[in-house]
Amino acid sequence: METLNKKIKNEDELLGLFIDVDGIHSSIRLPFLHPTYNEVWATDEHVIIRIPPERLYKQYEPTDGCERLKIPMATLTSATCTLADINKALDSCPLVDEVLIEEYEEKCKECNGTGEVEWEYTDGKMKTHYHDFDCPICGGDGVISYDKEIKTGKKVPDENAIIQIGAALFRYRILRIVADALKMLGADTVNVTANTPYGMTEIEYDGIKIGFMCIMADLSEKISAEVKLNETYLDKQL
């Protein structure tokens, strides 16, 4: 396999595939330099890309606490896989109705849209006291938000479909990210450097590593497609 080892021109788009800007952990909402591994990481905690900093145009800095992040232990293997095989598996997954989520608001009936309710208390001397508080139903907004599902009439791949790669099972949505990233990198054949049924699978192309976590359950009866690997496991750990 040819090694290009060139600067990545579309780094923002590539790294953007792997981050969750609304994620719980603020330290990984943006790409960062991991000081221990000396790699730029982008991850949503389900899939991760690791790139040598010299392959990127931008400068990235460590984030608070990122040094505590470690690569999960996984069984090392020696195998190859093609992007064409991954895409073929993705294309074999079942289609479902496309559903868009539309948010709409209604005036809160409890407070009549004012956002406030009146508290009333009568003390032992029969004196009545009043006070205004935020409406407990709408939180003081005066409106209540709802989500409405709208079918577009189109068919799209089922993001929860299960694909097997080697010894592990993955959701369609995870492998879609991996395939899109490999396409951006211009990859054809990639090395599969780790693969285990209950942990991380890792692939490597031109010095760039992509790791993705498998489904931690036995759902083998629901497999929609498979990418077979001719792999030889090694008795080592990452």
Side-chain angles (χ1 to χ4, degrees), residues 38-50:
N38 191 32
E39 296 170 333
V40 174
W41 287 16
T43 180
D44 64 358
E45 297 186 287
H46 299 287
V47 60
I48 181 173
I49 188 168
R50 301 159 55 197

Side-chain angles (χ1 to χ4, degrees), residues 4-152:
L4 303 176
N5 204 29
K6 296 179 179 179
K7 289 276 190 181
I8 298 172
K9 296 180 179 180
N10 53 351
E11 64 182 85
D12 288 340
E13 186 179 2
L14 176 64
L15 295 173
L17 291 173
F18 294 85
I19 59 173
D20 180 5
V21 294
D22 298 318
I24 297 176
H25 302 293
S26 59
S27 62
I28 59 173
R29 289 177 187 163
L30 295 172
F32 60 91
L33 176 68
H34 197 299
T36 303
Y37 295 85
N38 191 32
E39 296 170 333
V40 174
W41 287 16
T43 180
D44 64 358
E45 297 186 287
H46 299 287
V47 60
I48 181 173
I49 188 168
R50 301 159 55 197
I51 305 176
E54 62 270 16
R55 300 292 305 280
L56 301 169
Y57 286 97
K58 292 184 177 181
Q59 299 294 319
Y60 297 87
E61 299 296 332
T63 57
D64 291 339
C66 72
E67 68 279 356
R68 296 193 295 269
L69 300 175
K70 308 293 183 183
I71 296 297
M73 295 182 67
T75 303
L76 294 180
T77 189
S78 178
T80 60
C81 173
T82 66
L83 175 57
D85 286 340
I86 296 176
N87 282 328
K88 183 178 179 180
L90 290 169
D91 291 341
S92 299
C93 289
L95 300 178
V96 295
D97 292 329
E98 183 181 44
V99 177
L100 301 180
I101 304 299
E102 182 180 272
E103 185 178 285
Y104 69 98
E105 296 178 342
E106 287 185 353
K107 183 173 71 174
C108 178
K109 296 179 180 178
E110 197 69 28
C111 64
N112 199 31
T114 65
E116 294 184 342
V117 292
E118 187 180 72
W119 169 85
E120 180 182 310
Y121 175 74
T122 303
D123 61 24
K125 297 180 180 180
M126 303 306 294
K127 182 178 180 181
T128 302
H129 305 267
Y130 301 94
H131 195 80
D132 290 334
F133 287 95
D134 285 345
C135 174
I137 304 301
C138 67
D141 295 329
V143 295
I144 300 177
S145 298
Y146 298 93
D147 288 336
K148 181 180 180 181
E149 293 187 352
I150 301 176
K151 292 186 177 181
T152 66

Side-chain angles (χ1 to χ4, degrees), residues 188-208:
D188 41 26
T189 300
V190 299
N191 294 318
V192 181
T193 55
N195 183 248
T196 179
Y198 298 105
M200 185 184 74
T201 287
E202 184 177 77
I203 60 177
E204 183 270 338
Y205 174 75
D206 194 26
I208 297 170

